[in-house]
Amino acid sequence: MLQYSKYNTIHRMEDHVVLYNALSQVILVVDNERELQDLQHELASDSPAQAFLLKHHFFVHPDIDETALARLYRLDAQMNNDLQIMILPTTACNFECVYCYETMEPCAMSRQTQQRVKQFFKRQVPNYRSVNVEWFGGEPLLMKDMIYDMSESIESICRQSGRKYQASITTNAYLLDVETFQNLLRHHVYTYSITLDGPAFIHDRLRPCRDGKGSFDKIIANLIDIKNKVEFRYFTMVIKVNVTRPLLDVFDEFLAYLSDIFEGDSRFTFMFRVVGDYGGEGIGQIKQELLGEPDVVYDHLLRSKITLDYRGHYALLANQICSAAKRNAYTIYTDGTIYKCASLLTEDRSRVGELGEHGEFLLDNARVSQWVGKQSDQGTCASCSFAPSCNDCPAKETMMNNERPCVMKNERLDKLLELLTRDRDSRMYGFVYQLSEGEIVQC
């Protein structure tokens, strides 16, 4: 007889029940407890509902070793044949964020190193199924012409090799005017990660320009221009809102402000997160404003009557593995040094190689193995229902004396599931389904 997956999470609410399976990373909303009980009967029938429940692992055969299956999924994610490269065209930045932990000296990638990067892709692209490039910094748009030039070379190589190419960028958006945005789109940059710290009076204090001027108004103006003037539908703008105690005092007002601008445009999605103490000289200035655990943020989002597109939070459920733990994911620094973790740039433990004079990929596999060879199904994690979806980070394990950090402790997963399903009648997320009267439909 079929049984519930050990990787199911069941969250019961007043008017419905939410199921989440960490293997398939699919969310299923059931109208009521009776429907939940009737799921077992659906498995006895030859129906679309039965096929769905089995395909997405909500039910499994009792002779299946789910731990081994989860390990296989992890290995697939680790060892896939997709080349994932983060490139730093510069470490300079036009902002001076109070909580910034980066200690890199400002420098730009030389022409010689740019040529090595191009040669690297020429050598490597034919060996992979697809290529994904992320532009990072510093502020990468300080070197937008370099990005355009390198993108053209990489695109050409992928085109000639018949390989799929896509790109993303992490930017503060101060320089992201419509012209720049359209140029980036032409170079297949379809995913954008942008940070806000609240309304202007909070954001400008925490994320000022290097000359001391505020940055909020310019960023918002750029985003509004992109929203109103760019017709292309297939980009995603993930706006990450850093939450500190002062923002909680005006939380609903800020949500309303964002809703007035972006509601109804599914290209713009939001993720709210707490500011962490990751070191650096400036964090001491706002220690008393830090919140610590993110649960209070979820509480505020759930209490608010204002809703935004929260697909950004799904990344916490969908990341089976940290990019630093993937065999074919690396970061190329401005000088051609290769690192594994973008959060530990210039640190020796993250340095795993360098680009040779002609773009050779010179890796120290002993160092790489410290990132890729980690096992994640040991100890208490082996019995956790969330384990297959956990974005376990080798760097955090090292910093925490090899203890894997728990990202979904207490009721955090329940709150996240509630956030992603409460507005399901008016949004099409793609990963949320609903079972109603024996029929499963995508929300």
Side-chain angles (χ1 to χ4, degrees):
M1 183 178 181
L2 296 171
Q3 60 190 27
Y4 272 117
S5 167
K6 65 184 281 187
Y7 297 123
N8 283 343
T9 294
I10 302 175
H11 177 43
R12 292 175 172 84
M13 302 179 64
E14 289 184 7
D15 58 347
H16 62 274
V17 181
V18 180
L19 285 80
Y20 166 73
N21 183 270
L23 272 178
S24 63
Q25 299 164 352
V26 166
I27 299 171
L28 177 63
V29 181
V30 182
D31 283 346
N32 51 57
E33 193 74 23
R34 181 187 61 78
E35 288 254 22
L36 179 60
Q37 296 169 357
D38 287 347
L39 282 177
Q40 197 89 21
H41 300 296
E42 285 292 332
L43 295 168
S45 64
D46 185 15
S47 67
Q50 178 201 55
F52 176 91
L53 294 169
L54 290 174
K55 175 183 178 181
H56 296 291
H57 302 296
F58 288 105
F59 284 88
V60 296
H61 292 277
D63 57 344
I64 289 179
D65 184 341
E66 288 194 89
T67 300
L69 185 60
R71 192 180 300 124
L72 177 63
Y73 277 38
R74 176 183 171 82
L75 285 172
D76 284 345
Q78 274 189 306
M79 308 303 290
N80 67 44
N81 199 34
D82 302 316
L83 183 62
Q84 184 176 331
I85 299 294
M86 177 180 286
I87 302 175
L88 278 73
T90 181
T91 57
C93 187
N94 52 341
F95 279 19
E96 195 164 5
C97 301
V98 170
Y99 48 73
C100 183
Y101 60 89
E102 293 186 353
T103 58
M104 302 175 291
E105 290 295 323
C107 61
M109 186 175 284
S110 68
R111 289 188 178 276
Q112 181 183 51
T113 303
Q114 292 174 53
Q115 188 60 32
R116 290 185 182 186
V117 172
K118 294 175 183 179
Q119 289 297 317
F120 159 77
F121 280 101
K122 187 174 182 179
R123 286 171 170 268
Q124 295 294 327
V125 165
N127 300 324
Y128 295 90
R129 177 179 58 185
S130 68
V131 176
N132 188 309
V133 169
E134 179 176 357
W135 301 101
F136 195 67
E139 171 47 49
L141 291 183
L142 289 172
M143 295 292 170
K144 62 179 73 173
D145 289 337
M146 186 191 299
I147 292 176
Y148 303 154
D149 175 69
M150 294 176 71
S151 294
E152 286 181 6
S153 294
I154 300 170
E155 290 171 279
S156 176
I157 294 166
C158 289
R159 202 163 41 243
Q160 293 172 15
S161 302
R163 301 298 186 263
K164 180 181 178 181
Y165 172 75
Q166 60 182 354
S168 59
I169 189 169
T170 298
T171 171
N172 57 39
Y174 192 83
L175 302 174
L176 192 63
D177 53 57
V178 169
E179 181 182 359
T180 299
F181 184 77
Q182 290 176 328
N183 282 331
L184 290 170
L185 288 179
R186 280 191 282 271
H187 291 297
H188 298 85
V189 182
Y190 296 147
T191 303
Y192 299 76
S193 180
I194 293 163
T195 299
L196 296 176
D197 278 16
F201 76 93
I202 297 175
H203 177 98
D204 288 345
R205 179 171 61 89
L206 299 180
R207 294 178 66 80
C209 295
R210 193 159 289 278
D211 61 6
K213 295 179 181 178
S215 61
F216 182 85
D217 289 344
K218 181 72 174 294
I219 295 171
I220 290 295
N222 285 340
L223 296 180
I224 291 174
D225 273 353
I226 291 169
K227 177 181 181 298
N228 294 334
K229 297 178 181 179
V230 177
E231 296 182 359
F232 185 75
R233 303 303 304 172
Y234 304 106
F235 70 83
T236 300
M237 192 80 69
V238 183
I239 301 175
K240 298 177 179 179
V241 179
N242 284 334
V243 183
T244 53
R245 293 187 188 280
L247 179 54
L248 295 183
D249 295 334
V250 291
F251 202 79
D252 270 9
E253 293 93 325
F254 188 57
L255 289 185
Y257 172 81
L258 295 175
S259 179
D260 287 344
I261 298 173
F262 299 107
E263 181 62 28
D265 193 330
S266 60
R267 300 175 299 179
F268 294 82
T269 182
F270 293 83
M271 180 180 185
F272 290 76
R273 58 187 186 177
V274 297
V275 175
D277 182 356
Y278 301 114
E281 297 180 0
I283 194 68
Q285 302 176 39
I286 60 167
K287 277 271 190 180
Q288 71 282 2
E289 299 178 17
L290 302 183
L291 293 169
E293 299 291 351
D295 298 73
V296 64
V297 178
Y298 292 133
D299 291 338
H300 273 70
L301 289 170
L302 291 171
R303 279 198 298 266
S304 177
K305 295 180 180 179
I306 300 164
T307 62
L308 295 168
D309 186 316
Y310 294 123
R311 271 176 302 147
H313 284 273
Y314 182 63
L316 298 174
L317 301 183
N319 284 328
Q320 292 188 49
I321 185 170
C322 174
S323 61
K326 294 182 178 180
R327 181 66 176 94
N328 298 315
Y330 298 93
T331 297
I332 301 178
Y333 196 64
T334 52
D335 63 358
T337 304
I338 300 169
Y339 292 91
K340 213 59 182 86
C341 178
S343 297
L344 296 175
L345 292 175
T346 75
E347 292 200 19
D348 185 65
R349 57 179 158 166
S350 179
R351 182 175 55 80
V352 295
E354 62 183 0
L355 292 182
E357 183 178 353
H358 302 291
E360 303 95 330
F361 204 25
L362 306 176
L363 289 179
D364 183 336
N365 284 327
R367 285 177 172 266
V368 174
S369 69
Q370 296 301 306
W371 295 85
V372 179
K374 297 280 187 177
Q375 293 297 318
S376 63
D377 55 0
Q378 305 299 314
T380 57
C381 294
S383 59
C384 177
S385 65
F386 188 69
S389 289
C390 189
N391 187 359
D392 51 308
C393 171
K396 287 182 180 178
E397 289 184 18
T398 300
M399 289 186 283
M400 298 178 69
N401 299 316
N402 293 318
E403 294 181 8
R404 185 181 181 190
C406 184
V407 297
M408 284 295 166
K409 58 186 178 181
N410 301 325
E411 299 176 348
R412 193 171 303 160
L413 179 55
D414 289 343
K415 294 174 182 178
L416 185 54
L417 293 174
E418 188 173 341
L419 182 68
L420 290 170
T421 59
R422 70 170 183 168
D423 202 25
R424 61 190 180 280
D425 292 335
S426 59
R427 301 194 191 281
M428 179 68 77
Y429 280 154
F431 50 82
V432 178
Y433 295 80
Q434 181 153 350
L435 174 67
S436 181
E437 298 181 357
E439 183 179 356
I440 294 179
V441 296
Q442 191 174 30
C443 297

